[in-house]
Amino acid sequence: MTTALRASAAPSTASGIGPQLKDAGLAALVAAVLLAPILGMETTPGPDGRLTLAFHFDLVAIGVVLVFLGRLALALFLRGRPPVRAREGGAVSAFVSRNAAWFGLAGLAFAIALPLLPFSSRYVIDVATTVVIYVMLGWGLNIVVGLAGLLDLGYVAFYAVGAYSYALFAQWFGFGFWMCLPIAGLLAATAGVLLGFPVLRLRGDYLAIVTLGFGEIIRLVLVNWYEVTGGPNGIADIPRPSFFGFPFTRNPAEGETAFHQLFGLEFSTLHRVIFLYYLALALALVTNLFVLRIRKLPIGRAWEALREDEIACKALGINPTNTKLTAFALGAMFGGFAGSFFATRQGFISPESFTFIESAIILAIVVLGGMGSQIGVVLAATVIVLLPELSRELETYRMLFFGAAMVLIMIWRPRGLLAHREPTLRLGTATGATSLSARGGGP
Amino acid sequence: MKTPILEIQHLTMRFGGLVAVDDLSFTAYREDVTAIIGPNGAGKTTVFNCLTGFYRPTAGQLTFHGHEGPVLLERLDGFRVPRHGLARTFQNIRLFGGMSVLENLVVAQHNHLMRASGFTLLGLVGAASYRRAEAEAVERARFWLERTGLLARADQLASSLPYGEQRKLEIARALCAGPKLLCLDEPAAGLNPRETAELGELLLELRDRHAIAVLLIEHDMSLVMRIADHIVVLDYGRKIADGPPERIKRDPAVIKAYLGETEEEELPPEVAADLAAAGGG
Amino acid sequence: MAYFIQQLINGVALGMVYGLIAIGYSMVYGIIGMINFAHGEIYMIGAFVSIIAFTLLGMLGISWAPLALLLVLLVAIAITALYGWTVERIAYRPLRGSFRLAPLISAIGMSIFLQTYVQVTQGAKIKPLQPVVTGGFTFEDASGFTITISWIQILIAVLTLVLMAGFTWVITSTPLGRAQRACEQDLKMAALCGVDVDRTISLTFVIGAALAAVAGLMATLYYGVIDFFIGFLAGVKAFTAAVLGGIGSIPGAMLGGLVLGLAEAFWSGYFSIEYKDVAAFTILVVVLIFLPTGILGRPEVEKV
């Protein structure tokens, strides 16, 4: 094997860059044919309503040159290097993962301090809240995809179940946020079990497409079931959260005390924004603690074992369906929590917020960050939410970037950018049990 | 008088028109290392897959005298088989490659730990009873790591181990599941002579010191002849011989199955050599 | 009765389009055992290339329908097939032998990329096509109901049957077909026997994409309007068709397409148009759970 590699590497270092040039030329040719119609000829409605074409061959030329140079650079860069298929992440990833606790604490300190920092405007806090929600969704989906290795393309369905159950329970029964939150989580988990039970014995790619279908079914039901969901118009006037019963209003109703009165503050609409931020942060922290903890329990290890080899798991007596079901249900539950927070924050929900693209974004966060990595999810969520905020221009190109990134990451770092995994147990750490070895550990 | 641990009666497995195992009956005993041998494609692995619930046999009865008394294996779902005390390894090693060696061994004790963690609830609150159970599981893992010589590897990634150690790890993992009968599918494949000798020692030790019966599929005849107390020979899914090694060596049907076919077809020289050596010794 | 026959005709036409896309899923699955998640987008690209080619020909003054159709068909097949080839080269080939989820995720990434790429370059608005092929046969029954078979429906049927026949010939009687069948049985063994596996897989993607291009062209003609999002639903429905017919089986894919097309036509003809997509998804879920090997598929034996 190594000799074969050396043999293939040797001539390319000796000879010029002829083969690479030819290769890049071919790639450029392919790019030209691919780009010419779609990028080069834009269909636009003409004056009579018929389509006409607007030509952008300058863009095609730029694209072709970029492909040529990119391909050439890649070929020269890879020349002489053996093809490495890194199973683990690199040194940086290992460093981050070993010191996860410190990075986590530093990040948490920053997150807590954020609203008090001088540059924190209402806008900054708003964006930060969005980041935190996506972090939470990423952590929830990470249970399913990263730990249990089940590709769920319909995660947004559980987010929707959470949001709608909050909205409906609040509207019909007048339940408050803290009452609705567990209900939403429970309902989402139930939806996860109902979906999961029949489909979790399917092969991985069938599962992916069934979850995709389920996500769409939920959305289509939301759109079409006017009587309950309000159809495409959605549900408005969802009650806003209160500070444990003290509303964030300037003039509270008779007999009520508003938040600013309680603390003797000047009324400010910022209070509610900050409160929502901390609420999201608290929910996300609960999610994180839960996931960190459960990873080190038998069920968490069984999830990872299932991801590695389902047949071996069966031969060790692990019930694959039940184990997957718990992952699915717990992932769904956190999606439901996030959904009900989303509903109370927006005050308005409609099916538009729960499209496949949303599932794809959450999946991208998990994949890019590193499947199974908690810190990776935070970084990926931050990048993915901030990217369109930096410039509105970028928003259109955001999905283009995600799609390309998902492909490239799978090629270069199949386990994600921060893929280094620390074992959940070490033999060194189990010294507390030495007394037991005297009795003999054998069966 | 030996006590039976596994009684296979009239086991038949068909895939469409192909009969992989044809009316096979034999008994394996608690005190024995039992070997199933036979040319490639004789149906040996299919027998294992029927035993461990991966295939549902077309016909036959598989009685296993497990932890909770006799059970009929053909009626169990695959994942329910191990808890009766039957563990197996695979011909193409199936480890949890992305997890550490120790984690592999702890996962093997899943059902026990699951109960100890109160199906996760006690574990989440960090109950002392669960922490104790986990420590015991680690100790059991340490014990088998020591016996298989993998202790120094405990915290390494399973996939980073060399091939021979991966084989050993898979056996250690099966042992952590607490079996009464250990089924090994070609455990010596790809091992060097020293590793094979160590494997033989380990299997004999299991039989003598830990009261674990062994059922193995193996092509390495010198290993089989050295450690097996009882050999079952399969050819084209049928049993052609069954008995102690001395008798198998001289059985004309076995010699024909191994050597007779080879006149017109490709010779597996190492098999012929092994058999000749074993027959002479 | 007339209404029933009309729905039947519509359903068959629709089903043939689904069937053509489904063949692509089925072939790729047969050969590498994976769902090509980007296949729906390949169909969408086929539709876009078709509409661009029609517009270009219109601007060049070529308006004689048969010639225009033929040219568009060839252009759409060529360019879409190259897209199919590129998808395999970028999103699948480097990942052969990577871990289980990797090719799935990269295919989903590719699907998102292609969809956004068309959205960004061509705009998010729907694209209407001036009718190219108009008219058809109209029958009237005793009670005054009319049944129409349009020329487009006839075109779809003829083209599909021709392609199916040609395709069956390729699989059964050419070296490529033999190589494909060998790869379906065992990729590694085929490679050892001298089959150029890379080339065979590439060609499988190319053929699948070519058929999807034809489907895209016909859908463009049939509906007269497309947008960047059509690949998603069509992809899921065609995938359902492939599974329903028995994934890996080419006649199965066509049969599944017809069943799905008919189900959709009758569902929207007799029940509610709003839930017609729900119906497709429901069929998918039900089939996967109760009939995972499909109508014409062979049962899979789990290799342990």
Side-chain angles (χ1 to χ4, degrees), chain B residues 265-277:
Chain B
E265 287 178 31
E266 192 190 354
L267 262 164
E270 70 286 352
V271 174
D274 279 344
L275 209 77

Side-chain angles (χ1 to χ4, degrees), chain C residues 48 133 221 226 233 251:
Chain C
F48 263 87
V133 186
L221 291 172
I226 59 171
L233 264 185

Side-chain angles (χ1 to χ4, degrees), chain A residues 34 38 41 43 206 210 410, chain C residues 29 83 95 122 127 247 288:
Chain A
L34 293 182
I38 305 280
M41 305 177 199
T43 46
Y206 280 12
V210 170
M410 282 302 108
Chain C
Y29 186 90
Y83 267 97
L95 292 173
Q122 294 286 327
K127 305 285 177 186
I247 197 143
L288 277 178

